[in-house]
Amino acid sequence: AVCSMGNSTSRLYSVLAKTLSSGAVSQHQDCLEQLDSAQLDPIDPKDLLEECQIVLQKRPPRVQRNFVNLKKNAASNHRPIRVMQWNILAQALGEGKDNFVQCPMEALKWEERKCLILEEILAYKPDILCLQEVDHYFDTFEPLLSRLGYQCTFFPKPWSPCLDVEHNNGPDGCAMFFLKERFELVSSANIRLTAMKLKTNQVAIAQTLKCHETGRLFCIAVTHLKARTGWERFRSAQGCDLLQNLKNITQGAKIPLIVCGDFNAEPTEEVYREFSNSSLNLNSAYKLLSPDGQSEPPYTTWKIRPSGECRHTLDYIWYSQHALNVNSALGLLTEEQIGPNRLPSFNYPSDHLSLVCDFSFNQDPDRLL
């Protein structure tokens, strides 16, 4: 019965209607790994969005955000590549560990919260989706997004804190999804980050893709660095390790690069400076929303815990500024939209805001760094 959603006559609604119990997860995972997603019925995203909205009809409407046009030069001949970065909040952590004191437990119910997450993804229709804190990959995101045309990859943390929570759904980790109609996978690397030569609990996925329309190669990476104050040097070491891996994968920046992640680091931290000053010539896309193009947003996460209110900029989309242009970026929620109880809430499913950018290739592929 666990594998019934793989039947060619099955419909998507059974996936939304229930989440598998934790006892069934490993069995479900084995089943899904044996399935060829090409044999599953495709899903019309409009149908899935309608189903989500039916589930969410008693909740307040989704908060509206607008894209900011950042393109200054002539229009590209090719469709932009839309990249979405989001720490979606692991279900086990939201319910069992994170102590969002102003967020009612009712707002965190997975049966509804997963529909809020899917609604956000479906609203922005990313070509590439990079997620952190994914602990419902095998029973929700992989079966649904694969049927929406995405190729899916998941790399869990070796010692996920989700496993300490009773009735958990397995470990959380990073996940990457790209539309197969737009890109071809050239190579993929699952990276367990090291710090001071020690293997750590944090991971990254780096994939080199070929754009069907332009024939251009580029590398997309997703990561989630160590959290909490006092771990700044540790994050710095993890960042250095990731950069070294990405230098090797991109042949020293010959292949354009986009890095998405929850870095758990403010722009004042050393790991931020490492990425800013790297030989890979990276820039942070969301800086371009500031008047001078030099300042990060005032926040990408905003929550209230027992220790007090936490308002930080921790999430970034880095890109090769010599090879890629940022055409537009999705504006952040205002304080008024977020509301006095902060995040998560009945109309926003995570304590982190999603970041979305439209990229185009520089028209001169041989332009030097």
Side-chain angles (χ1 to χ4, degrees):
V2 174
C3 293
S4 61
M5 73 175 66
N7 188 292
S8 61
T9 60
S10 68
R11 303 182 69 185
L12 64 120
Y13 310 129
S14 62
V15 187
L16 280 178
K18 61 184 178 181
T19 298
L20 293 169
S21 68
S22 58
V25 168
S26 60
Q27 182 184 354
H28 183 65
Q29 177 176 339
D30 293 341
C31 168
L32 279 172
E33 287 172 348
Q34 294 167 12
L35 291 174
D36 180 356
S37 61
Q39 296 175 348
L40 301 179
D41 283 344
I43 297 173
D44 186 328
K46 291 180 182 177
D47 290 343
L48 182 55
L49 184 57
E50 285 178 10
E51 279 299 308
C52 289
Q53 290 169 344
I54 290 169
V55 174
L56 298 170
Q57 57 189 334
K58 293 183 180 178
R59 293 200 178 209
R62 196 175 66 85
V63 283
Q64 296 302 307
R65 299 162 67 185
N66 297 315
F67 280 90
V68 179
N69 185 15
L70 300 168
K71 183 114 174 173
K72 298 179 176 64
N73 50 356
S76 169
N77 298 325
H78 303 288
R79 278 189 299 163
I81 297 170
R82 177 162 290 182
V83 176
M84 184 173 187
Q85 147 61 30
W86 198 12
N87 178 333
I88 60 171
L89 174 60
Q91 184 64 20
L93 301 183
E95 287 187 310
K97 282 199 168 225
D98 278 341
N99 295 318
F100 301 118
V101 292
Q102 299 288 6
C103 178
M105 287 301 291
E106 186 75 9
L108 295 172
K109 284 172 53 178
W110 179 242
E111 289 73 14
E112 295 180 7
R113 196 173 77 87
K114 67 181 173 186
C115 291
L116 274 179
I117 295 170
L118 290 166
E119 187 182 42
E120 180 94 345
I121 294 167
L122 291 163
Y124 300 122
K125 304 173 186 172
D127 300 304
I128 302 171
L129 173 63
C130 295
L131 302 179
Q132 299 86 36
E133 290 200 23
V134 180
D135 63 346
H136 277 274
Y137 176 81
F138 292 105
D139 62 16
T140 301
F141 295 104
E142 196 276 349
L144 283 173
L145 291 176
S146 65
R147 293 165 72 182
L148 289 169
Y150 289 91
Q151 184 156 327
C152 313
T153 305
F154 176 61
F155 192 24
K157 294 173 185 170
W159 315 300
S160 167
C162 293
L163 299 176
D164 297 333
V165 179
E166 192 175 4
H167 307 305
N168 67 75
N169 199 64
D172 76 302
C174 291
M176 185 182 293
F177 310 84
F178 67 83
L179 284 176
K180 291 184 286 186
E181 69 172 18
R182 293 213 63 188
F183 312 108
E184 172 191 341
L185 180 63
V186 176
S187 66
S188 183
N190 287 354
I191 303 165
R192 184 173 172 187
L193 298 176
T194 64
M196 304 146 196
K197 298 185 179 180
L198 297 173
K199 291 181 178 179
T200 74
N201 193 34
Q202 281 65 46
V203 300
I205 303 168
Q207 297 190 330
T208 301
L209 306 180
K210 182 178 181 180
C211 177
H212 292 317
E213 194 175 356
T214 64
R216 302 279 295 272
L217 293 179
F218 67 100
C219 177
I220 178 83
V222 57
T223 196
H224 188 187
L225 301 187
K226 172 68 182 171
R228 296 194 176 86
T229 303
W231 292 85
E232 292 81 6
R233 287 187 61 201
F234 196 84
R235 281 190 287 274
S236 173
Q238 288 183 324
C240 285
D241 182 50
L242 179 57
L243 284 168
Q244 187 56 54
N245 275 279
L246 293 174
K247 284 174 189 174
N248 295 336
I249 292 169
T250 62
Q251 301 166 32
K254 288 181 181 177
I255 298 172
L257 174 64
I258 299 170
V259 185
C260 296
D262 174 357
F263 280 59
N264 276 307
E266 292 273 11
T268 52
E269 271 198 35
E270 181 62 31
V271 67
Y272 182 93
R273 291 192 291 275
E274 287 164 2
F275 271 72
S276 295
N277 301 326
S278 163
S279 62
L280 293 172
N281 197 24
L282 299 173
N283 193 22
S284 173
Y286 264 72
K287 279 168 49 176
L288 302 179
L289 287 180
S290 65
D292 61 357
Q294 299 299 314
S295 305
E296 292 289 351
Y299 51 83
T300 62
T301 179
W302 202 340
K303 62 203 114 184
I304 301 175
R305 284 179 164 151
S307 57
E309 197 156 341
C310 308
R311 177 180 176 267
H312 300 292
T313 300
L314 306 177
D315 308 272
Y316 306 95
I317 300 179
W318 298 91
Y319 70 101
S320 299
Q321 57 188 336
H322 62 283
L324 296 165
N325 300 309
V326 184
N327 297 5
S328 60
L330 183 65
L332 300 174
L333 292 178
T334 64
E335 180 176 0
E336 183 181 10
Q337 286 176 312
I338 289 172
N341 294 330
R342 309 315 184 200
L343 304 173
S345 65
F346 276 109
N347 60 346
Y348 200 81
S350 176
D351 54 326
H352 289 252
L353 297 174
S354 63
L355 308 182
V356 186
C357 290
D358 289 336
F359 290 97
S360 60
F361 290 105
N362 187 296
Q363 293 305 294
D364 180 3
D366 298 317
R367 182 177 171 189
L368 297 176
L369 301 187

